[in-house]
Amino acid sequence: MFKAPYPPYDPTDTSGYETVVKRWPIILTNIIDHVHRLLHDMTLEAQQAHNSDASKVEELSKKVTEGQEIISEISRLKYRMARDHELEEIPQDGDILVAEYNADLESLKQTSQNTWFKAPWLYAEYRLIRTYFNQKTYWRGFDPFSTPKEEMFKSSGTAIYQIATTMHELESEKAKLQGEPDKLEVLFKEMIQMCLWLDLSLLTHLSQSDIEHLQTVGKEAQEARTEFILKDDQAAVWSYIKTLANQGKRLDFVLDNVQLFTDFVFADFLVTYTPYFSQVVFHPKLFPWFVSDVTPTDFAKTISSLLSTTFFPQHSTTSPDSVAHLQQMVTRWQNYIDRGIFTLATDISNGQKMTEFWNGPWPYWNMNELAPELGQWLSGSGLVIFKGDLKLAGDVKWPVSTPFSTAIGPLAGSFPLLSLRTNKADVAVGIDEKVAEDLDNRDEKWRVSGK
């Protein structure tokens, strides 16, 4: 397997310490609070059903007891994390990658990296929390991040209606657009920047006004964002995409954090309004690898929520036309799903097994050794878009000017690859040293702020 020529980042440095001491405990506290609220609701429901449905009361009582046990387990984990205790083995919970995680943990023990402040970032994440839920009868497979995802989705209604109207306005231009690559390029850049910036994994850092600013769609916002883009290959990727015209190529989307809505919009644009792609395969995580990752359940819920006329709170600025435009657009997406034009990777042959790879504690450059079927699948793609994953370059202290193609190791040249990433971890490559030095002087947290 490929081994990077540089060490990983030290988890005890400034930004790593910030993650372990501040960000992770906040996330764990939010999970505890979320389960507490659910238990409160279940208790009320049991009281209301007390005299009418004994079996329901018994089931709710058992679920509440299990939920209380989960809260205790997460609280214990939070305590151990804050005190740099050793990471614990993953119990056999009937889910994926238990042996793989435990084998890596054994390797970390050999180098004394098996504590919360020393373990590599790619390892020390939420596989253990998955176990806490999986070992319970009534909580197995529960996504503790599902409610925050849904709440953020609901709060985005205004922007979603606006984007739906924008897509509707393209309908009248569709025939002309396919013959005018220059106009398509302008729209492509609009779509790609929308897809880049709507990454909601930094909910503990962004205010609502920050998020609303990032949801703005238009030339002015696009120009304002340009200064924040440190490595811009939009022209290069568009030049490549134009070579795919009328070949029926497949686009693969490796999903990361919600919002999935923007990924759907980008995919819709490329399939509906350009002659470059005829199918899109979306690759989810089987369970959240880091907070708000898109899962197969999220994929289905996104469509059903968008088709519901009551999902988004109605505002005075919401016009009936925009509501209709959203229904038309998402109905088209549902039609694409029904016809196999939009496909979830877990629904293709061997897709469930291939999808397991994304949840592993390893850099993606080990794909061909650890998931050869996945590597083979992606090698047949017209373009593979990765949403925001530091796992492409690994948790490695690369010199900032290291070419991206070097940092992704054996993946370079394996398939056409586009990475859309906002920096939320120290890893940064493909950036001029003088630019990085200037950023260090202006904002020491530029590598991790997501801006």
Side-chain angles (χ1 to χ4, degrees):
M1 290 191 192
F2 176 74
K3 184 172 176 59
Y6 298 94
Y9 277 90
D10 181 357
T12 61
D13 71 9
T14 304
S15 58
Y17 186 82
E18 185 98 357
T19 293
V20 179
V21 173
K22 293 184 178 180
R23 189 177 177 205
W24 284 351
I26 288 173
I27 292 168
L28 295 181
T29 300
N30 288 342
I31 296 174
I32 291 170
D33 290 346
H34 177 41
V35 176
H36 260 303
R37 288 195 297 272
L38 292 175
L39 298 187
H40 177 263
D41 292 344
M42 290 174 199
T43 301
L44 291 178
E45 187 179 354
Q47 291 171 351
Q48 293 169 357
H50 183 67
N51 295 320
S52 59
D53 191 339
S55 61
K56 183 177 183 179
V57 171
E58 182 181 4
E59 180 178 316
L60 285 168
S61 176
K62 290 178 179 178
K63 192 168 185 179
V64 167
T65 299
E66 288 186 350
Q68 291 168 339
E69 293 170 356
I70 290 169
I71 288 172
S72 296
E73 289 164 338
I74 297 174
S75 297
R76 175 179 173 274
L77 174 63
K78 184 179 171 183
Y79 176 91
R80 291 176 58 82
M81 180 188 291
R83 288 154 183 81
D84 195 28
H85 286 193
E86 290 186 357
L87 295 161
E88 299 168 274
E89 277 198 3
I90 310 296
Q92 288 294 340
D93 64 353
D95 213 333
I96 63 170
L97 301 176
V98 174
E100 289 83 352
Y101 269 94
N102 286 338
D104 275 16
L105 180 59
E106 187 59 38
S107 297
L108 293 173
K109 285 181 182 179
Q110 304 306 317
T111 56
S112 299
Q113 292 178 281
N114 61 323
T115 71
W116 281 101
F117 284 20
K118 300 182 182 69
W121 222 56
L122 297 190
Y123 185 88
E125 45 72 64
Y126 295 101
R127 180 62 183 88
L128 186 60
I129 290 179
R130 178 75 170 177
T131 294
Y132 295 156
F133 292 96
N134 278 345
Q135 291 185 313
K136 304 293 187 277
T137 302
Y138 295 98
W139 294 85
R140 181 171 181 80
F142 178 76
D143 179 357
F145 308 110
S146 59
T147 296
K149 293 180 197 176
E150 184 172 302
E151 289 173 350
M152 184 52 61
F153 190 20
K154 282 186 175 181
S155 72
S156 305
T158 300
I160 285 172
Y161 284 124
Q162 179 185 351
I163 292 168
T165 294
T166 299
M167 296 296 282
H168 175 78
E169 289 168 353
L170 292 182
E171 282 290 327
S172 61
E173 301 291 322
K174 181 177 174 181
K176 286 194 292 183
L177 281 172
Q178 295 211 356
E180 299 185 45
D182 290 344
K183 288 186 178 179
L184 280 178
E185 182 177 7
V186 172
L187 289 167
F188 171 77
K189 289 182 176 180
E190 186 78 4
M191 297 290 171
I192 203 170
Q193 289 195 33
M194 174 190 66
C195 209
L196 168 66
W197 291 116
L198 271 177
D199 183 341
L200 305 182
S201 71
L202 285 180
L203 299 182
T204 55
H205 294 279
L206 287 177
S207 69
Q208 190 62 33
S209 61
D210 290 330
I211 294 170
E212 287 172 359
H213 173 71
L214 295 182
Q215 288 174 326
T216 305
V217 177
K219 285 186 178 180
E220 191 175 318
Q222 188 179 115
E223 290 168 2
R225 293 177 194 141
T226 302
E227 66 175 294
F228 295 100
I229 299 178
L230 302 179
K231 178 63 175 171
D232 189 351
D233 288 323
Q234 291 179 92
V237 72
W238 182 249
S239 294
Y240 164 74
I241 286 174
K242 285 193 296 184
T243 68
L244 306 179
N246 304 312
Q247 297 179 44
K249 289 291 187 177
R250 186 185 80 232
L251 173 72
D252 284 84
F253 232 117
V254 182
L255 303 171
D256 188 48
N257 303 117
V258 286
Q259 276 224 29
L260 178 59
F261 174 78
T262 58
D263 303 335
F264 270 124
V265 171
F266 194 19
D268 184 24
F269 167 72
L270 290 171
V271 167
T272 305
Y273 300 99
T274 83
Y276 307 125
F277 296 98
S278 62
Q279 182 191 17
V280 183
V281 174
F282 296 89
H283 298 259
K285 306 283 197 305
L286 290 179
F287 53 84
W289 181 79
F290 207 83
V291 188
S292 55
D293 290 300
V294 175
T295 67
T297 300
D298 294 324
F299 188 87
K301 281 177 66 176
T302 296
I303 295 295
S304 61
S305 297
L306 289 167
L307 287 174
S308 168
T309 56
T310 59
F311 180 76
F312 294 110
Q314 296 298 303
H315 301 286
S316 58
T317 56
T318 304
S319 71
D321 285 345
S322 290
V323 174
H325 296 158
L326 181 61
Q327 289 290 305
Q328 292 165 9
M329 180 176 69
V330 182
T331 299
R332 178 170 67 246
W333 298 352
Q334 182 63 64
N335 178 262
Y336 282 173
I337 291 170
D338 295 341
R339 293 164 55 198
I341 295 172
F342 283 0
T343 305
L344 196 60
T346 47
D347 293 334
I348 63 177
S349 177
N350 211 26
Q352 187 82 11
K353 181 65 178 174
M354 290 193 295
T355 303
E356 288 184 9
F357 176 78
W358 307 121
N359 275 100
W362 38 64
Y364 289 164
W365 62 55
N366 290 327
M367 181 185 298
N368 289 326
E369 289 82 5
L370 298 176
E373 305 93 344
L374 177 60
Q376 184 66 31
W377 172 268
L378 296 182
S379 70
S381 181
L383 179 66
V384 183
I385 298 177
F386 286 82
K387 284 296 297 291
D389 248 307
L390 78 90
K391 288 173 127 183
L392 272 171
D395 184 18
V396 175
K397 204 168 187 176
W398 297 104
V400 72
S401 59
T402 303
F404 179 67
S405 57
T406 300
I408 62 174
L411 285 187
S414 298
F415 43 80
L417 186 160
L418 169 65
S419 172
L420 303 181
R421 177 174 180 240
T422 54
N423 271 48
K424 302 186 296 293
D426 288 294
V427 180
V429 297
I431 301 171
D432 185 275
E433 288 183 13
K434 290 182 179 179
V435 172
E437 185 178 339
D438 178 56
L439 288 167
D440 286 334
N441 292 331
R442 285 194 286 133
D443 179 8
E444 63 179 16
K445 293 186 177 181
W446 69 269
R447 288 172 177 255
V448 298
S449 68
K451 294 182 179 180

